[in-house]
Amino acid sequence: MKVTMVGTGYVGLVSGACLAEMGNDVLCLDVNAEKIRLLQAGEIPIHEPGLDVMVERNVKAGRLRFTTDVARAVAHGTIQFIAVGTPADEDGSADLQYVLAAARDIGRLMTDHKVVVDKSTVPVGTADKVNAAIREELAARGVAVEYAVVSNPEFLKEGAAVEDFMRPDRIIIGADDESAIYLMRALYAPFQRKHERLVLMDVRSAELTKYAANAMLATRISFMNELALLAEKLGADIEQVRRGIGSDPRIGFEFLYAGCGYGGSCFPKDVKALISSAAEVEQPMRVVAAVQAANEAQKQVVVDRVTARFGSDLTGRRFALWGLAFKANTDDMREAPSRVVIGELLRRGAEIVAYDPGAMPQARRVFADCAGLSYAGAPMDALEAADALLILTEWKEFRSPDFASIKQLLKQPLVIDGRNLYEPKLVRSFGLEYVPIGR
Ligand SMILES: NC(=O)c1ccc[n+]([C@@H]2O[C@H](COP(=O)([O-])OP(=O)(O)OC[C@H]3O[C@@H](n4cnc5c(N)ncnc54)[C@H](O)[C@@H]3O)[C@@H](O)[C@H]2O)c1
């Protein structure tokens, strides 16, 4: 099938590569000329396991191409995916300018039947707006071309995006047009050969499903984070509590880890957008609002632990920081707790030596030439003469470190762990003071 992917970011590039992998003829469009130049030169602008080889294979086979040429992109695909960003606007609502610009481009240039698929995370009612934008462009040209608008929210996780797209738990299709449904079924059939995972529904329900999923997951995290702080005060261990409740099949083990707050490009903005959508129709979302507030507070927990120990003026203090990405296996630092921690510690005069296996190039862009922040080439290199080690991302390579060397290298034997990576007894047996969350 001929597929155009409008927006070649985390979602667009992964979806485009995976669709090409199944034999489709995919053209990825982006307005970011530098990104397209990199991709055309064989470089991958993001860190995502398995993506580089898949892109290379499909580019070689001629099934995956990249362009900045809008007319070519609109002409190419019968299926036009819109996978552009939907960042939070100033009031927290989803900013739809990129989605609607993409829709207008399609309406302005299409000459044959198109199925336009919203893959971006968009508030309920966006498919209607996309529909209207295309209709207006066609009317302005005085032409009638058939098209359908479908909602197909994406559920891939950064860090496991290729795996998630290739083996989806479910594929949500919101559509009412029979021929569009037929095409979407055919497109996704190779991804669900064992058993059907396509969940067909109306467009508005599909749009809401994506926000419901992210808000539910964020709720579990914030719930566990608050419970962890309570466990500390009551002398309980959140890890034991987690195991105790996770074994209940109604609760399950997923997404029950206490930590220093959720980040990333999705949960924070989607939670905000859901609250904003609800406010527009005067429907309070008390639980979700509390989830957001709890998360904002949780991002401060590591800072609070540092200041509780060293005072609020951190001049002359030096901290080793492991983990910049908002979670493991990604270079994405959008809304990462590390940004709050680094900002706060630097503001208080501290010096930070950071290490992250994937996100350091990204951090260099985010923090530019920020005085007081430098980077280490290896985890242990960050530790020398530091007053404490702070851990903010759960990368595998941090999980079994050489504790004896950590003790030796640190100026003060203090580990503040925002991800609960270690067994407290074990760390303490090396003479380290260990401050996890909720244990
Ligand atoms: N990142 C994730 O893990 C994830 C998962 C599920 C859903 N989503 C949703 O998918 C959408 C995209 O997210 P992302 O993380 O891939 O964003 P991203 O910022 O990585 O990529 C978006 C791309 O769209 C491009 N773009 C913007 N306007 C364009 C236009 N008119 N034409 C062509 N390209 C254009 C941008 O230059 C950018 O490269 C968002 O709505 C997000 O909420 C993201």
Side-chain angles (χ1 to χ4, degrees):
M1 241 177 275
K2 282 187 178 283
V3 175
T4 292
M5 194 61 64
V6 184
T8 310
Y10 282 89
V11 168
L13 182 57
V14 170
S15 308
C18 292
L19 289 167
E21 180 78 0
M22 292 298 188
N24 294 291
D25 177 2
V26 180
L27 181 60
C28 292
L29 170 76
D30 208 287
V31 289
N32 182 334
E34 176 59 13
K35 195 177 270 189
I36 294 299
R37 191 193 61 73
L38 280 176
L39 285 161
Q40 284 171 339
E43 286 176 53
I44 307 293
I46 55 172
H47 175 94
E48 199 55 63
L51 184 61
D52 48 358
V53 282
M54 187 181 273
V55 169
E56 191 189 340
R57 185 166 52 238
N58 285 283
V59 166
K60 258 198 195 136
R63 289 189 297 263
L64 179 63
R65 278 159 296 156
F66 305 100
T67 188
T68 55
D69 182 343
V70 179
R72 186 177 153 214
V74 175
H76 177 82
T78 307
I79 302 181
Q80 301 267 323
F81 277 100
I82 299 181
V84 300
T86 47
D89 218 335
E90 273 163 24
D91 61 359
S93 65
D95 180 353
L96 291 179
Q97 62 167 310
Y98 307 105
V99 170
L100 296 178
R104 288 201 175 279
D105 283 342
I106 295 168
R108 193 163 47 80
L109 295 162
M110 67 194 255
T111 54
D112 57 356
H113 176 247
K114 301 287 179 201
V115 174
V116 179
V117 186
D118 287 340
K119 194 167 251 323
S120 299
T121 301
V122 289
V124 175
T126 301
D128 293 341
K129 290 181 182 166
V130 165
N131 212 324
I134 296 173
R135 198 169 51 235
E136 280 166 28
E137 291 297 330
L138 289 174
R141 286 161 59 200
V143 296
V145 185
E146 287 203 5
Y147 67 95
V149 178
V150 170
S151 167
N152 169 219
E154 182 50 55
F155 293 93
L156 61 77
K157 299 182 289 294
E158 283 179 25
V162 170
E163 175 69 18
D164 285 348
F165 197 96
M166 295 302 284
R167 284 176 202 74
D169 301 323
R170 75 298 209 190
I171 298 158
I172 303 284
I173 303 291
D176 50 19
D177 179 292
E178 283 307 322
S179 67
I181 293 170
Y182 179 81
L183 265 186
M184 296 308 285
R185 270 194 198 285
L187 184 72
Y188 280 115
F191 296 92
Q192 38 177 345
R193 280 164 57 88
K194 239 187 253 161
H195 62 95
E196 166 139 330
R197 268 157 281 180
L198 199 127
V199 185
L200 193 61
M201 57 180 75
D202 66 82
V203 173
R204 286 182 167 250
S205 303
E207 290 171 332
L208 187 56
T209 297
K210 174 66 193 179
Y211 285 99
N214 277 359
M216 172 71 89
L217 294 172
T219 301
R220 286 172 74 101
I221 296 174
S222 276
F223 175 79
M224 288 308 282
N225 284 341
E226 285 201 321
L227 206 62
L229 300 183
L230 178 66
E232 274 179 19
K233 295 212 164 135
L234 299 179
D237 177 354
I238 195 67
E239 250 314 285
Q240 298 186 39
V241 175
R242 180 186 73 78
R243 279 186 263 131
I245 60 171
S247 50
D248 181 334
R250 294 168 302 177
I251 296 175
F253 284 105
E254 300 289 324
F255 266 79
L256 286 186
Y257 292 97
C260 52
Y262 63 74
S265 66
C266 292
F267 286 4
K269 87 169 166 59
D270 293 348
V271 163
K272 269 188 217 152
L274 182 60
I275 294 169
S276 164
S277 289
E280 270 176 37
V281 292
E282 295 178 16
Q283 177 57 49
M285 294 292 280
R286 298 179 194 93
V287 172
V288 184
V291 166
Q292 185 185 17
N295 193 59
E296 288 310 306
Q298 198 70 16
K299 285 184 177 180
Q300 290 289 337
V301 163
V302 169
V303 177
D304 292 347
R305 281 160 200 220
V306 170
T307 55
R309 165 56 78 91
F310 298 103
S312 62
D313 180 4
L314 298 173
T315 314
R317 299 286 178 191
R318 178 180 181 146
F319 298 98
L321 189 148
W322 285 1
L324 294 158
F326 84 92
K327 66 173 180 181
N329 299 326
T330 180
D331 60 346
D332 199 337
M333 285 186 61
R334 287 178 279 186
E335 305 265 353
S338 68
R339 298 172 83 130
V340 173
V341 173
I342 291 172
E344 281 285 314
L345 299 190
L346 291 179
R347 193 174 64 76
R348 293 163 191 275
E351 193 189 324
I352 297 171
V353 185
Y355 171 79
D356 187 289
M360 289 198 295
Q362 189 62 29
R364 287 197 166 91
R365 281 191 286 275
V366 169
F367 291 105
D369 292 326
C370 199
L373 174 62
S374 60
Y375 302 94
M380 288 299 178
D381 294 349
L383 300 177
E384 210 152 333
D387 288 288
L389 165 62
L390 317 178
I391 301 176
L392 301 183
T393 314
E394 68 284 16
W395 285 96
K396 282 206 181 81
E397 69 178 81
F398 300 154
R399 292 187 192 179
S400 285
D402 177 349
F403 291 112
S405 299
I406 293 180
K407 164 92 185 341
Q408 211 173 23
L409 288 163
L410 286 173
K411 193 158 82 187
Q412 307 201 38
L414 172 61
V415 178
I416 298 177
D417 181 359
R419 294 293 171 191
N420 284 353
L421 296 188
Y422 313 123
E423 186 46 50
K425 261 196 206 140
L426 175 74
V427 188
R428 287 169 191 151
S429 72
F430 286 88
L432 286 158
E433 186 185 344
Y434 181 55
V435 185
I437 293 188
R439 308 201 63 184

